[in-house]
Amino acid sequence: MIKNAPFRYSDFEYISIQYGLRDSMLNSYHSATQDYQYLNRENEIVKKKLKLTNDDLLFLHRKAMEMGFWNVDDDLTTPRTDSVDGRAVPRYILEYKYKEKGKTVTMDADYPGNQKMMDAAKTTIETVLERINIANAR
């Protein structure tokens, strides 16, 4: 059953996440390049190399499977009436890339749509950010 799953860990290539306000997605991480950039408390951009272990990546792969991330809509953004509306609402772009497939979800923190999809995406994003923070603290 797992062997025939569309997203197999043996085909895993990378996880990428970007987050911040829509007009300034200053926080990002890419597991293949190990590039990590974030805005610190002094509003300074910090750039560094950060390696997630194989165990971290396997955990994130399994968490995405558990949460049903593969079934979440790609676009969980809130329709805006103008460029000022919702400008202070955080946006997240999470990508899981495999050899032949990938899944990218864009989510606004105030998405008003399907709550189950929102919860699956939100929990997956929170787990990725938590693993990045744990790796950064090592």
Side-chain angles (χ1 to χ4, degrees), residues 66-78:
E66 175 188 323
M67 294 310 303
F69 182 72
W70 317 129
N71 300 321
V72 171
D73 289 341
D74 293 344
D75 185 7
L76 301 177
T77 57
T78 304

Side-chain angles (χ1 to χ4, degrees), residues 124-137:
T124 306
I125 289 167
E126 287 171 349
T127 304
V128 169
L129 293 176
E130 178 183 332
R131 280 289 157 160
I132 291 169
N133 289 335
I134 289 169
N136 193 32

Side-chain angles (χ1 to χ4, degrees), residues 109-125:
D110 66 346
Y111 178 67
N114 185 318
Q115 193 59 45
K116 283 188 175 186
M117 284 200 190
M118 176 71 166
D119 290 344
K122 184 178 177 186
T123 303
T124 306
I125 289 167

Side-chain angles (χ1 to χ4, degrees), residues 31-67:
S31 68
T33 62
Q34 300 176 4
D35 291 332
Y36 181 39
Q37 174 180 302
Y38 62 94
L39 196 61
N40 68 11
R41 291 185 180 163
E42 290 81 38
N43 279 334
E44 300 167 333
I45 294 177
V46 177
K47 294 182 181 185
K48 64 193 307 186
K49 292 289 186 183
L50 181 69
K51 180 172 177 36
L52 290 181
T53 66
N54 198 39
D55 288 344
D56 289 333
L57 296 171
L58 178 59
F59 176 82
L60 293 173
H61 166 78
R62 288 182 175 161
K63 188 65 169 182
M65 285 177 54
E66 175 188 323
M67 294 310 303

